[in-house]
Amino acid sequence: MNAAITSTGQREFHSGADEQSLSLDFLHRYLMGNYRDLYAATLALDVNDHNAVLIARNLLATTAEAEADRRHVEGRLIARRLALLPPPRVYGLFRALRRARVNNRRTRAIMRDWLAARPDLAFDAVKYRGAVRDVVRHAHLRPGGELGPFLFTPHRPAAYTTPILETWRRAHYEQAALYKLPYTVAEGFAAKHRIARAAFLERIAPRLTRLERLRLQESARGLGADAVRADLATMPLTRLASYVLALPLDDRVRRRAELTAALRTAALRIAGDQAGRWGTVVAVLDDSFSAYGSGHKRRRPLAVALACHFLLEALAREYTPLWLSGRSDALLTHPYGATPLGERILDGLEHRPGRLVIVSDGWDNSPPGLAEEVLRIWRTRLDPHRTCAVVHLNPVYDAADFDVRRLAPTVPTAGIRDAENLVALVELAQFAEGRTGLPELRAHLTRRVEEFLREDA
C-alpha cells in the first residue's frame, strides 16, 4: 500500500527510473500471485493513478487465474476505480491492454461499460480520437450516429450534425471555430493557422480547465495574456503547494497574502469538521536538499511537506512547525542542506505534544541514525504508554526495500502522495507499527472495499 501510494515508477532523488519501475513491478507481481484478494482490495484505497492503472491491468490480464466469485468482486472494483480516474489514464490503460492483446470477455465488458458511462462521448472522440478509435476497435463496439464515420473516416462527411464534430471540421479552415474546442485540440489548430501564442491564450481562456489555468498562468502573464487567471482558492492543496514552490522567491514575497490565503482556504476545505480538533500538534517537516526530488518529480516531496504544514495548522488546536533547515517562513521554503531529523525530533518532543507528525523521505544523515535512537528511547523508556502519538509520513518510495524508508521500528510509517489523504493515512499507519496483524488488516480492507463499492450503488 505504501508503494502504491507513493511510487510512480519515475526517478527519485536516491534512485533512478529503472530501479523504481523494476522494484514496483516485482512488488505488484508478488502481491498479486500470493495475496490476490488484498491486491485487488487496494483499489479501494487512496492509491495513486499510476498504480491503480497497473493493478487494473494486471488483474484483467490474469482473469483466468481468479475464481468466479473473485472475478465478480474484481470487476466491480476495477469499474469503480476507472470511473474515478482521469480519462487520459483510462484510455492509456485500454491502449496498453490492446498492445498486450488482452481481449477477454471481462476486459471488453469493462471497456464497453466505461465508454457507455461517459457523459459526452463525442467530446472524447474529438479530444482523444486515436484512443477512442483503438478502444472501439479492440472491444468490437459499433458506435452509433456520426461517431463511427468521425473515428475512422473523419474527413469524408461534408458536414456533421453533432455540434462539436462540426466545430472540429470547420476548425481546419476557420480560425474562429478552434476557440470552441478543448484547449489541447485547439492548440494544434492554432499552430496550423500560425496564430500568435498570446492572442491564442487570450481567446481560449474561457475553455480552459482549472488545472490548465494553473499550469498556463505564469507563461500567459509573461506574454501579456491576462485573461488566463486561476482561482487559487479552488485548487487542490498539494497541487497548489507545487505551484507556489515553482514561483521565484521574490514573487512569493510580493504575493504573500494571496498565496497564504489560498493555501489556508484549501487546507480548511480538507479539514472540514475536524478543524481544530487534533489538540497539540508538532510537525517535523523535511526541506533538506533531497526534498527537491528529481527532474521528473521536481520539488514533489517538499510540496507534500508544505501542504501538510497548512493542513496540520488547520487540524490542530495548537500547532508548532519545525522545518529541518530552521526556517520559520513556510512560504519561502526551498530544498537546501542536510537532513538532521534526530535533532528536530528532539526539539519537537520537548514541546510535549499530543501528536508528533514527521513528513520526510527518511534519509536521516546529520548524524546518521540519530532519529532512530531518539524515537527508540522515547517510545521504550520515556513514553511507553504512548501519550504522544508519533507517525512518520513518507512521500518517497525506496526501491531497494520495496517500501518507504522507515525511521524506527517503534514508529508507524505510511507513504503519502497528496496531503489531502493525511487523515486517512494516519489511521492506516497503525498497520505498519506491528501492533496489528493480517486479520485486522483484512478486516480494515474489507470495510474499505464495502464503503468504496457502496458509493457506486
Side-chain angles (χ1 to χ4, degrees):
M1 289 184 288
N2 285 337
I5 288 169
T6 57
S7 179
T8 58
Q10 296 170 306
R11 181 180 178 182
E12 298 284 2
F13 187 86
H14 292 283
S15 59
D18 290 342
E19 295 174 79
Q20 287 278 320
S21 296
L22 183 63
S23 174
L24 189 62
D25 182 63
F26 169 80
L27 199 57
H28 274 264
R29 292 179 182 277
Y30 177 84
L31 189 60
M32 182 176 65
N34 293 278
Y35 305 96
R36 189 180 178 100
D37 58 333
L38 297 182
Y39 183 67
T42 55
L43 287 171
L45 301 178
D46 298 313
V47 300
N48 63 45
D49 293 349
H50 176 76
N51 282 280
V53 166
L54 284 179
I55 294 168
R57 187 177 72 187
N58 290 337
L59 292 175
L60 290 172
T62 57
T63 294
E65 299 176 13
E67 298 176 357
D69 56 337
R70 287 303 315 161
R71 284 200 297 269
H72 176 68
V73 175
E74 288 176 9
R76 293 183 63 198
L77 283 167
I78 293 169
R80 173 65 178 147
R81 173 55 68 179
L82 295 189
L84 301 176
L85 288 174
R89 288 278 189 184
V90 182
Y91 282 121
L93 166 64
F94 291 164
R95 295 182 103 171
L97 290 169
R98 181 173 182 264
R99 289 192 299 270
R101 299 187 177 185
V102 177
N103 198 20
N104 53 62
R105 186 172 62 180
R106 181 169 70 164
T107 298
R108 294 196 303 273
I110 284 175
M111 289 180 173
R112 179 198 65 217
D113 294 345
W114 187 84
L115 283 179
R118 294 297 297 155
D120 188 352
L121 193 55
F123 178 90
D124 280 16
V126 169
K127 191 170 184 179
Y128 316 107
R129 186 162 62 92
V132 176
R133 183 179 60 239
D134 288 347
V135 174
V136 166
R137 181 181 287 131
H138 189 62
H140 308 160
L141 303 177
R142 293 181 177 273
E146 297 177 319
L147 280 181
F150 177 79
L151 290 173
F152 296 100
T153 57
H155 298 289
R156 182 174 297 177
Y160 290 101
T161 58
T162 306
I164 193 169
L165 303 185
E166 175 62 12
T167 300
W168 177 87
R169 188 191 67 81
R170 288 167 46 217
H172 285 79
Y173 58 85
E174 182 184 328
Q175 290 190 16
L178 69 88
Y179 295 107
K180 299 177 183 178
L181 294 172
Y183 164 74
T184 52
V185 179
E187 191 174 33
F189 283 115
K192 171 185 173 66
H193 293 299
R194 299 184 179 180
I195 300 173
R197 181 70 174 172
F200 168 68
L201 290 175
E202 192 75 30
R203 292 191 61 184
I204 199 66
R207 303 286 301 178
L208 297 176
T209 67
R210 63 174 185 168
L211 294 182
E212 286 172 345
R213 286 176 177 273
L214 184 66
R215 188 173 70 249
L216 295 170
Q217 180 173 254
E218 296 309 310
S219 62
R221 181 182 286 117
L223 294 171
D226 295 330
V228 182
R229 290 289 182 88
D231 183 1
L232 299 183
T234 65
M235 296 296 165
L237 178 58
T238 308
R239 185 68 64 92
L240 182 57
S242 294
Y243 168 76
V244 170
L245 293 174
L247 295 173
L249 293 177
D250 290 343
D251 286 2
R252 294 189 226 173
V253 172
R254 179 172 52 82
R255 300 171 59 188
R256 178 183 295 276
E258 174 197 3
L259 298 175
T260 303
L263 286 162
R264 284 180 173 155
T265 299
L268 285 170
R269 185 170 60 246
I270 297 166
D273 58 3
Q274 293 197 54
R277 294 189 176 183
W278 272 30
T280 305
V281 176
V282 170
V284 174
L285 305 163
D286 190 344
D287 60 347
S288 64
F289 186 63
S290 62
Y292 172 79
S294 68
H296 293 103
K297 304 172 75 172
R298 194 167 297 164
R299 292 179 292 271
R300 180 73 191 193
L302 185 58
V304 173
L306 180 63
C308 288
H309 161 73
F310 281 96
L311 180 55
L312 290 169
E313 181 185 58
L315 290 168
R317 185 185 72 250
E318 181 180 337
Y319 175 64
T320 304
L322 299 174
W323 294 91
L324 295 190
S325 64
R327 298 187 190 97
S328 58
D329 191 340
L331 200 66
L332 300 184
T333 189
H334 59 275
Y336 179 79
T339 311
L341 278 168
E343 295 180 7
R344 298 309 271 166
I345 291 171
L346 274 173
D347 295 339
L349 292 173
E350 195 171 1
H351 287 81
R352 295 281 177 174
R355 193 187 301 266
L356 176 67
V357 179
I358 305 164
V359 184
S360 170
D361 61 9
W363 286 85
D364 179 36
N365 59 20
S366 183
L370 179 59
E372 180 178 359
E373 281 302 294
V374 168
L375 292 169
R376 182 182 67 82
I377 296 298
W378 173 262
R379 184 56 77 218
T380 57
R381 298 187 184 181
L382 303 180
D383 186 25
H385 301 296
R386 302 177 186 271
T387 57
C388 172
V390 182
V391 64
H392 172 209
L393 301 178
N394 192 328
V396 179
Y397 175 66
D398 185 2
D401 288 338
F402 304 101
D403 198 357
V404 293
R405 192 176 181 88
R406 301 172 185 276
L407 289 176
T410 55
V411 171
T413 300
I416 183 171
R417 176 165 174 78
D418 295 311
E420 288 84 340
N421 301 326
L422 181 146
V423 176
L425 289 172
V426 168
E427 175 189 356
L428 185 64
Q430 64 179 313
F431 297 109
E433 193 174 3
R435 289 189 296 151
T436 53
L438 190 59
E440 291 84 359
L441 177 60
R442 286 187 183 277
H444 174 78
L445 287 176
T446 299
R447 185 173 69 254
R448 291 292 299 268
V449 167
E450 291 173 352
E451 294 172 356
F452 184 67
L453 294 177
R454 193 182 304 126
E455 293 172 3
D456 193 39

